[in-house]
Structure formats: structure tokens, C-alpha cells
Amino acid sequence: MKSVRQSVMVLFAAVVAMGILVGCNTTGAKAKRIELDSQDKVVTLEHKGTGLGQDKLPQWLVEYMDRGVPGVEGLTDYKGRYCIVADERGPELQQLLTWVNNFNAQQQIGAQISTRVASVFKANENKVADSADSQRKYSNAINTLVSATYSGARKESDWWIKQRITEKGKDDEIRHTAYVLYSIDRKILDDQIVNAIAKIKDGTPDLDAAFDSITAQILESGLQW
């Protein structure tokens, strides 16, 4: 059976912080921490809060860097909401600020829906007949959900960071990174997706059964990671 995942656009990048703690010494006393030495250096020169005297990143950005979007959605401020975080890098801050202020959340919402809905579709594809026509319609359903326009998203916050990147054998690079956070009420988005699925149904028994199962799962549990 052809996997539905072949039709899914996957977006998202994760920033991972790594620390290694290893073994005990020969006497079995204390564990020793191994320092990770790197010839490349990253120094933060400035950020959005510098001019305001702030010396800490906003909590949503800390969570995003540590655990991705699930970490952001776990914060009390975003309870009951889906979160969308996008980031962009470039040498010029003004260009990134323009991007932040003109950012269109629709593409990111579609990408997030494709990632989350894919697992729901995958769990129900055994209900679809093993025929080229049914499989095509089932895969097209995801594309329809991804390309649809969803309302209710609102901008929550944005942030930027200016860093100097030093790599051995290269000239120092000044790099800016901008982040923008949007959110949308879970019920509002769930209802829009359910309505979109209802429009896809065409009376084909196996497909409609799969779509009904997906609808029930979304209404009960929402879009899960």
C-alpha cells in the first residue's frame, strides 16, 4: 500500500543543545564531565532586548530552542492553542525585520497541518481500498488540507539575535536570526479541518469511513505530534 507520507510536505527545523556526561573514574567515585571543545565560536553580540536592558530570551523562544513547538505549546500562555514558529537567517537585520513584519502564517500553518494530520491519515489508511483510484484520492485529501486557507491565526511575538560566527580558516561572519511566533485556537483550527474533510467526501464507502474515523480522532484529541 502506497504510503500517504509521500504526499506530505514536511517543515520544521530543530535547534538542539547537547551535553555529555560520562562514566566514573577507576575508584567508582564521581562521574566526570567531558568538555566539548570546538574551534568554531558563536558569540551573541546583540538581540531584540538589548536596547531595553533585557538579558534573557523570552520563554517561548527558550522552549522552542530546547524542545521545538511542543515546548512552546506546553507553556501556560498558549494553553488550548496550536503554535507556529518560523525562523529566518540573513546578514542584514533590516531585511529580517521586514520579513517578520510581513510574514504570512498560512504557509507555516499548512506545513504544520501536513505534519500533524499525516500521522492521523497513516493510522487510518488500512480502511482505504488497495486501488490506485482510492489511494490517489486519499493522498489528494492531504494536499487539499495543506493548501486550504485557515483563519484565526494571530501573531504572538517575535525576536531577533545578532551573532558573530568564527570558523577556523574563514573570515568572521555576522549573522542575524529572526523568529516569529503565531498561534491559533485549537478548536477553531480543528473545526476548520473537519469541515474541509467533510467537503472531500464523495460517497465512496471505504474513503468516507476513513475520513469519518479521522474526523472523530481530531474532534476527540486534536492534532497531535
Side-chain angles (χ1 to χ4, degrees):
M1 183 177 290
K2 181 178 179 182
S3 173
V4 175
R5 294 185 184 277
Q6 293 179 356
S7 67
V8 179
M9 300 180 298
V10 178
L11 178 71
F12 286 122
V15 180
V16 180
M18 181 180 296
I20 298 179
L21 184 65
V22 298
C24 297
N25 58 24
T26 55
T27 62
K30 295 182 178 180
K32 295 181 179 179
R33 182 176 296 277
I34 302 298
E35 298 295 335
L36 295 179
D37 187 24
S38 174
Q39 294 180 340
D40 296 344
K41 303 297 181 182
V42 179
V43 178
T44 298
L45 303 175
E46 189 182 5
H47 54 76
K48 183 179 179 179
T50 300
L52 301 176
Q54 299 180 14
D55 59 359
K56 294 182 179 180
L57 294 176
Q59 192 59 39
W60 67 266
L61 187 53
V62 173
E63 291 294 333
Y64 177 65
M65 289 181 170
D66 186 35
R67 299 196 295 127
V69 172
V72 181
E73 292 182 347
L75 295 173
T76 302
D77 289 346
Y78 307 111
K79 183 178 181 180
R81 304 187 69 82
Y82 293 118
C83 292
I84 303 98
V85 179
D87 58 81
E88 186 75 11
R89 291 180 178 178
E92 299 295 334
L93 176 59
Q94 193 56 51
Q95 292 178 356
L96 290 182
L97 294 180
T98 299
W99 171 82
V100 165
N101 292 325
N102 294 280
F103 175 76
N104 187 339
Q106 286 301 323
Q107 183 179 359
Q108 293 292 336
I109 292 174
Q112 177 162 288
I113 289 172
S114 72
T115 300
R116 296 189 178 200
V117 171
S119 61
V120 185
F121 270 69
K122 180 67 176 178
N124 289 277
E125 68 177 352
N126 61 342
K127 298 181 175 67
V128 181
D130 192 10
S131 68
D133 185 57
S134 291
Q135 290 296 310
R136 177 182 56 79
K137 289 181 179 179
Y138 198 64
S139 295
N140 287 343
I142 295 180
N143 294 330
T144 298
L145 294 177
V146 171
S147 60
T149 298
Y150 300 94
S151 61
R154 73 185 187 197
K155 182 180 178 180
E156 299 285 356
S157 183
D158 62 69
W159 201 262
W160 59 265
I161 301 173
K162 177 182 179 181
Q163 296 173 313
R164 181 174 63 243
I165 314 300
T166 301
E167 298 183 52
K168 186 177 180 180
K170 297 182 179 181
D171 293 336
D172 287 0
E173 173 193 357
I174 300 300
R175 182 174 67 198
H176 296 82
T177 306
Y179 302 86
V180 59
L181 168 64
Y182 274 75
S183 77
I184 182 170
D185 183 271
R186 286 177 176 260
K187 186 178 186 307
I188 289 176
L189 183 55
D190 289 347
D191 287 347
Q192 291 180 73
I193 293 173
V194 167
N195 290 335
I197 292 175
K199 295 178 181 178
I200 297 171
K201 297 171 65 176
D202 64 358
T204 305
D206 59 319
L207 287 172
D208 286 357
F211 292 147
D212 287 342
S213 180
I214 292 168
T215 295
Q217 188 169 336
I218 291 175
L219 289 176
E220 180 180 354
S221 305
L223 299 176
Q224 302 298 319
W225 285 100

